[in-house]
Amino acid sequence: MTINSIRTFEAESFVTPTSGRASPKPPPRIWNAVEPPFRGYQPAPSDGYNHSSASTAIIIDNGASLLRAGWSFDKSPRLSFPADVARYRDRKINRTCTYVGYDAYADATTRGQIRNAFELGSSVVGNWDMMENVLDYTFHKLGIDGSEGSVARPILMTEPIANLRYSRKTMTELLFECYSAPSLTYGIDALFSYTYNKGKTGLIVSSSHSSTQLIPVINGRAHMSSVSRLNWGGLQGAEYMLKLMKLKYPTFPGRFTDHQAQVMVKEHCCVSQDYDVELRSFLDWSGLEDRDHVIQYPFTEREVVEKSEEDLARIAERKKESGRRLQEQAAKMRLEKLVRKEQELEYYKDLQERLPLQTKKEQKRLLDEEEMRDDVQLDKTIKELEKSIRKARNKDVGGPENPEEEEEASFPMLDVPDEELDEAGLKQKRHQRLMKSNVEARARAKAEKEREKARIAEEERLDEERRENDLEGWLEERRHARAAFVQKMKDRDRLKADLTNRKSLASQMRMKTLASLASDAPGRKRRRGGDDDNFGANDDDWGVYRTVATGEQSEDEEEEDLGVGLKGIEAQLLKYDPNFTENHTMDAQSDWTKSLVHAFLRGPRPFDPESQREAHQIHLNVERIRVPEVVFQPAIAGLDQAGIVEIAADIINQRISSAQDRQNILKDVFLTGGNTLLNGFQSRLQREMRAVLPSEAGLTVRQASDPLLDAWRGAAQYSREPEFRTALVTRQDYQEKGSEYLRVSQTEGMCNLVMNTS
């Protein structure tokens, strides 16, 4: 019998339906982000030690996720806690405090000092100081006070497959030397679980916290040389979920923790039955409210005081009264200003009448007192006052409107030769020359505006003729113009995002430009007198400010110009192009009801950026099937290994020589470990393996009765059997033969490793 491990997927077209996107939906179900796993004070169950005897074994399932411990006569472990230790120096009491297990999550101080006894990402003990604290806590909680100078009970401890010789040797020395254990032995947790579930021949798939292992068992004996391991378990899945969340919400105001990621994987993830097909339709708006899980993080909402109708009416009346008072004050101030101007006008007119009667010296003295150059400026001041008074009367007093036509400017002094003018005349001539330049500049600007209007009108006329003569060509030009506007907007957004990243090319070029502006020749000493600054001599020099400018005003103006131009082109396409509809416009494409990115980030409901509640929410949708899929397709997470189906095919095809043994193994594919509790894991594995098996081959996939506790229960069950005594390494054996001595059991539940293997 041959197992083919090649999988094929049929390509299917995917069309997202548009119905139901903006329809009202029920409120989403909210899951609160879990707090640190502190469980408070847990009293020590001391009755177990009192009921035990010298032959009663202590069972320790030394897992990388949770350590479970109890007595051999227990049906379930009495203790279950993580191998985390927090140790710090309390300055108030001047003592070193040690917290183990869930107690290490008591407060922020202890959480900041947490250390784990295992190597990161593995099930091998690496920190032996922490492991000693964990064992102290374990024996204390089991009621062993050490009054006899030792634990005085046999110990059965689980260990990972292919445990390092140094790790087992150090653990043996620790238990015999530090705790004076009378006897000790080790076993493999997956084999204990298989034995407890009455397995004899089969393939164990143990997907636990740190890895996934496939162990073939034939007639109660594990073929250790055929064991394969996939370096992916619950810990790696949680890290992958954490990475996906940080990439999905890079500016999330809350804080993601490892424990929260583990809870997300356990409570919200499931194994898809057909990953490629489900992934195409997972963000489909139909039913997305059920597939999208919302996790709420703690937040503080801005308090908005709601006012009653009476309060709103009172506030409106108060604003109205305040506005009325301001208007009265403004009118009074305008009237007073008008009276002052009339008085000034009357005074200047009287001065103008008296000037001809005075001598030139007296005229100059009177004008100097009023800070005026000559009688021309006096006449100009009188005209300005008359004009201002007339406008004020028309606005406030309600006088008759008599707009004065603009008089044609005249400059008589420009025709008089300079030789005929005195100093005052020359000054007046220069003033009239400047005024004439201003008048001519205004006339040129007005003419330029008229020419621009005529040019625009001519372009519109020509565009209208081109549209009437060649509609398809005209529409094609408009489509290209719209595409150019859209590309400019994308480039602008990309540049704006790049400028926020100091390592981006755009940001580095901007800093380089600033540096070159600060120093024309960096790295050289400028010689005295040789640093002539000729910046601005060339008009192109001023373009550098567009390169380094990051102000909001310039960006808003550019965005407004692009938006107005794009809307104008889209309006023309909507009017003349039958294939261009409202759904093709930029406004429609940026609508959240039509955005796949919005469905990915915020689910099937609108998002309010001002709401702190919604800003502190994360949405799990695609990640719910993506994270568990790594066990079947490790390449998704960048893992250069085969999936469990390919590994199983390799074990059975290449490493099991007997055809009968292969058939027997396929009849009992056994699942254990916390990672197999994900919904759909068993059915997916059975479906995948059935797809690569011959049609006549039998296949049975079953799960442990309790994938989490059956390993401990199997060890406890084995410790009550007579064969357990023959597998124990006594303290006398340890003293005579050393810490690497290990007895090999002939039963299926024990670790069948000889002493010189690692």
Side-chain angles (χ1 to χ4, degrees):
M1 178 182 62
T2 302
I3 299 178
N4 185 6
S5 60
I6 299 176
R7 294 177 295 173
T8 58
F9 297 96
E10 297 181 359
E12 296 183 7
S13 61
F14 174 68
V15 179
T16 303
T18 59
S19 61
R21 294 185 176 185
S23 60
K25 296 177 175 58
R29 180 183 175 186
I30 304 294
W31 284 268
N32 293 324
V34 295
E35 299 296 328
F38 177 63
R39 299 187 177 182
Y41 173 72
Q42 300 292 328
S46 58
D47 57 328
Y49 182 72
N50 298 329
H51 291 99
S52 66
S53 62
S55 61
T56 304
I58 299 174
I59 312 300
I60 301 177
D61 183 9
N62 194 21
S65 173
L66 294 174
L67 183 144
R68 300 178 178 88
W71 301 96
S72 59
F73 52 76
D74 291 330
K75 294 183 179 179
S76 296
R78 293 173 178 251
L79 303 177
S80 180
F81 60 90
D84 295 330
V85 179
R87 182 190 298 170
Y88 70 97
R89 186 77 177 178
D90 194 330
R91 297 182 179 179
K92 294 182 180 180
I93 61 176
N94 196 23
R95 292 180 59 185
T96 299
C97 302
T98 303
Y99 297 85
V100 181
Y102 294 112
D103 296 343
Y105 296 87
D107 55 25
T109 303
T110 58
R111 289 196 295 270
Q113 302 295 328
I114 287 179
R115 300 293 182 271
N116 195 273
F118 291 86
E119 293 285 350
L120 183 62
S122 72
S123 54
V124 178
V125 179
N127 193 328
W128 292 101
D129 290 339
M130 301 299 105
M131 193 69 228
E132 184 176 350
N133 287 306
V134 170
L135 292 176
D136 287 343
Y137 181 83
T138 301
F139 294 137
H140 172 71
K141 287 295 185 179
L142 289 177
I144 303 174
D145 54 5
S147 59
E148 301 180 8
S150 67
V151 295
R153 300 292 185 271
I155 298 177
L156 171 57
M157 180 179 289
T158 63
E159 67 174 9
I161 292 181
N163 189 21
L164 299 177
R165 181 189 302 175
Y166 170 78
S167 178
R168 187 189 303 114
K169 171 180 174 292
T170 309
M171 180 65 75
T172 302
E173 292 176 354
L174 180 65
L175 292 173
F176 277 124
E177 297 293 343
C178 185
Y179 300 100
S180 299
S183 56
L184 168 68
T185 191
Y186 301 98
I188 297 175
D189 51 0
L191 297 177
F192 280 134
S193 178
Y194 188 56
T195 304
Y196 183 77
N197 286 271
K198 312 229 176 337
K200 293 294 182 182
T201 300
L203 179 65
I204 302 175
V205 180
S206 175
S207 186
S208 57
H209 182 69
S210 59
S211 62
T212 299
Q213 298 165 342
L214 282 79
I215 310 171
V217 179
I218 300 176
N219 297 326
R221 295 283 296 177
H223 279 225
M224 305 306 294
S225 60
S226 302
V227 173
S228 292
R229 178 176 63 193
L230 173 64
N231 296 324
W232 190 270
L235 175 63
Q236 290 79 9
E239 291 177 349
Y240 188 46
M241 173 67 77
L242 195 63
K243 184 185 298 183
L244 292 177
M245 288 297 102
K246 289 181 179 179
L247 290 174
K248 188 174 183 178
Y249 301 100
T251 60
F252 187 69
R255 180 175 178 269
F256 299 117
T257 63
D258 297 336
H259 179 70
Q260 291 170 348
Q262 292 178 13
V263 174
M264 290 180 195
V265 174
K266 292 178 181 178
E267 296 185 358
H268 301 280
C269 289
C270 59
V271 179
S272 63
Q273 300 305 307
D274 194 334
Y275 178 72
D276 288 354
V277 174
E278 291 187 22
L279 187 64
R280 296 191 194 104
S281 60
F282 207 87
L283 293 177
D284 187 350
W285 288 85
S286 177
L288 181 58
E289 59 270 14
D290 298 327
R291 296 188 297 272
D292 185 75
H293 289 195
V294 183
I295 311 296
Q296 180 69 65
Y297 277 73
F299 68 97
T300 302
E301 191 67 82
R302 297 188 182 94
E303 294 185 4
V304 179
V305 180
E306 296 184 0
K307 297 180 176 62
S308 61
E309 294 182 0
E310 293 79 4
D311 295 337
L312 294 175
R314 194 181 304 110
I315 293 173
E317 183 62 29
R318 189 160 54 246
K319 289 182 178 180
K320 186 176 180 181
E321 182 65 25
S322 177
R324 186 163 49 249
R325 287 198 301 268
L326 290 175
Q327 290 177 356
E328 292 175 356
Q329 292 177 2
K332 183 178 179 181
M333 292 176 63
R334 287 195 299 270
L335 183 60
E336 293 175 353
K337 188 175 181 180
L338 177 61
V339 171
R340 287 196 303 270
K341 287 183 178 180
E342 289 178 345
Q343 293 174 355
E344 291 179 2
L345 178 62
E346 184 178 355
Y347 172 76
Y348 285 136
K349 283 185 176 181
D350 180 65
L351 178 62
Q352 189 180 34
E353 292 175 357
R354 289 189 290 114
L355 278 180
L357 304 177
Q358 306 294 331
T359 63
K360 288 187 176 181
K361 185 176 182 180
E362 185 65 18
Q363 290 178 0
K364 188 174 187 318
R365 187 187 65 80
L366 291 174
L367 291 173
D368 289 342
E369 287 180 355
E370 301 301 329
E371 297 181 353
M372 295 184 182
R373 295 187 302 272
D374 49 22
D375 55 350
V376 176
Q377 186 175 358
L378 176 62
D379 185 63
K380 182 179 178 181
T381 303
I382 292 174
K383 290 182 179 180
E384 290 178 352
L385 284 173
E386 289 177 346
K387 185 177 180 181
S388 177
I389 291 172
R390 187 163 51 251
K391 286 184 178 180
R393 284 176 176 174
N394 292 337
K395 182 177 181 180
D396 295 334
V397 185
E401 294 186 3
N402 186 18
E404 191 178 280
E405 295 182 0
E406 186 176 357
E407 298 180 358
E408 184 178 357
S410 61
F411 309 101
M413 299 294 293
L414 298 180
D415 299 331
V416 181
D418 294 345
E419 294 80 6
E420 300 178 5
L421 298 175
D422 56 3
E423 184 178 354
L426 291 174
K427 186 183 296 185
Q428 186 176 0
K429 183 177 180 180
R430 287 194 297 269
H431 178 69
Q432 289 187 3
R433 184 180 292 112
L434 180 62
M435 295 297 296
K436 182 179 180 181
S437 300
N438 292 336
V439 171
E440 291 175 350
R442 287 196 296 269
R444 286 195 300 270
K446 185 176 181 180
E448 182 66 27
K449 288 182 180 179
E450 294 296 332
R451 286 195 296 271
E452 182 67 18
K453 289 182 180 179
R455 185 185 63 81
I456 294 175
E458 181 65 18
E459 287 182 354
E460 291 178 352
R461 186 185 65 79
L462 294 176
D463 187 70
E464 185 74 15
E465 291 180 358
R466 186 165 58 254
R467 180 179 58 81
E468 293 176 354
N469 298 330
D470 185 10
L471 180 61
E472 290 300 327
W474 182 85
L475 290 176
E476 190 64 26
E477 290 179 1
R478 289 296 178 270
R479 296 189 189 102
H480 287 304
R482 180 183 179 277
F485 270 105
V486 172
Q487 186 61 39
K488 287 182 180 179
M489 297 175 71
K490 290 182 179 179
D491 294 341
R492 180 203 60 206
D493 296 338
R494 188 182 300 110
L495 178 61
K496 189 184 299 183
D498 288 343
L499 286 176
T500 59
N501 181 12
R502 63 182 181 86
K503 295 183 179 180
S504 65
L505 179 61
S507 182
Q508 292 178 3
M509 292 299 295
R510 178 175 178 270
M511 295 305 298
K512 185 177 180 180
T513 304
L514 289 174
S516 64
L517 285 176
S519 175
D520 290 337
R524 295 181 181 178
K525 291 186 178 180
R526 295 185 178 181
R527 297 180 179 179
R528 182 174 300 178
D531 54 349
D532 295 336
D533 186 6
N534 57 357
F535 180 83
N538 187 357
D539 292 339
D540 295 337
D541 293 343
W542 302 100
V544 71
Y545 289 104
R546 290 191 294 270
T547 304
V548 301
T550 58
E552 295 181 358
Q553 183 176 1
S554 60
E555 293 176 359
D556 293 341
E557 291 176 357
E558 183 182 0
E559 183 175 357
E560 182 178 357
D561 294 341
L562 292 176
V564 171
L566 180 62
K567 287 184 178 180
I569 294 176
E570 288 180 345
Q572 292 177 341
L573 290 174
L574 286 173
K575 185 176 181 180
Y576 298 107
D577 189 356
N579 298 324
F580 191 85
T581 63
E582 289 287 346
N583 293 332
H584 295 90
T585 61
M586 181 60 69
D587 291 338
Q589 292 177 2
S590 59
D591 186 6
W592 69 269
T593 60
K594 301 176 178 64
S595 174
L596 187 65
V597 176
H598 180 92
F600 177 63
L601 294 176
R602 304 300 175 185
R605 297 172 179 85
F607 173 68
D608 181 11
E610 299 297 328
S611 172
Q612 291 297 312
R613 178 179 63 85
E614 295 186 18
H616 285 76
Q617 289 178 355
I618 63 174
H619 293 254
L620 298 179
N621 36 58
V622 177
E623 300 82 11
R624 295 180 55 216
I625 62 173
R626 184 176 183 180
V627 173
E629 184 65 20
V630 180
V631 178
F632 297 90
Q633 301 185 57
I636 292 177
L639 196 62
D640 189 16
Q641 284 188 268
I644 57 174
V645 177
E646 287 81 2
I647 293 176
D650 178 72
I651 290 175
I652 299 175
N653 271 339
Q654 306 297 330
R655 306 183 189 183
I656 305 299
S657 58
S658 173
Q660 184 62 39
D661 290 341
R662 290 199 292 266
Q663 292 179 358
N664 294 335
I665 286 176
L666 289 174
K667 291 179 181 179
D668 189 14
V669 178
F670 178 75
L671 306 181
T672 186
N675 220 25
T676 62
L677 287 173
L678 293 175
N679 186 25
F681 190 97
Q682 179 178 351
S683 57
R684 169 67 181 278
L685 181 61
Q686 184 164 3
R687 175 179 173 275
E688 292 280 339
M689 293 190 68
R690 171 55 63 189
V692 298
L693 284 175
S695 58
E696 68 277 3
L699 175 65
T700 302
V701 180
R702 66 187 179 106
Q703 192 177 51
S705 56
D706 191 338
L708 296 176
L709 300 180
D710 280 358
W712 186 93
R713 290 169 179 164
Q717 174 183 307
Y718 176 75
S719 67
R720 297 191 294 266
E721 297 178 358
E723 293 82 359
F724 171 67
R725 303 300 166 186
T726 62
L728 288 172
V729 176
T730 63
R731 183 173 180 78
Q732 182 179 359
D733 294 333
Y734 166 74
Q735 293 174 347
E736 293 178 357
K737 302 173 183 178
S739 58
E740 294 188 4
Y741 176 73
L742 182 68
R743 289 186 177 179
V744 180
S745 173
Q746 299 300 319
T747 57
E748 62 273 13
M750 293 303 299
C751 171
N752 54 350
L753 296 177
V754 295
M755 69 178 195
N756 60 353
T757 60
S758 59

